[in-house]
Amino acid sequence: MVLGECDFLGTRRIKDGEYKEYVFQTYAHVSKRITDLAAGLSSLSLPPTSNIGIFSVNRAEWLITEQACYANR
């Protein structure tokens, strides 16, 4: 199996207050989301020393945002 097709980030579904199975994104899908978000942040033309705040509970989107910020260093 190609690494890009392997499960990477999982989010646990909650239905009617009960925890259910995890739904996973592949390495390739997460990589594309990081690249797309990094491009979006770059298009804002912020100065290199700008700060960004992430207000979120622990979840996949937090990690994706963090990695997109690192990609624009």
Side-chain angles (χ1 to χ4, degrees):
M1 179 177 281
V2 177
L3 181 61
E5 298 171 359
C6 294
D7 289 342
F8 178 43
L9 286 177
T11 301
R12 195 166 190 185
R13 289 188 334 110
I14 301 174
K15 184 174 181 180
D16 299 326
E18 291 186 30
Y19 290 102
K20 302 294 182 181
E21 74 283 352
Y22 282 88
V23 177
F24 286 89
Q25 299 175 63
T26 64
Y27 277 92
H29 185 241
V30 171
S31 178
K32 175 150 177 36
R33 291 185 71 189
I34 291 168
T35 301
D36 290 348
L37 182 55
L41 291 171
S42 182
S43 74
L44 297 175
S45 300
L46 300 171
T49 58
S50 294
N51 294 315
I52 182 172
I54 304 170
F55 182 73
S56 173
V57 295
N58 292 342
R59 53 183 299 137
E61 290 78 9
W62 196 100
L63 179 78
I64 290 168
T65 303
E66 177 187 35
Q67 294 302 312
C69 290
Y70 291 148
N72 281 328
R73 290 183 87 200

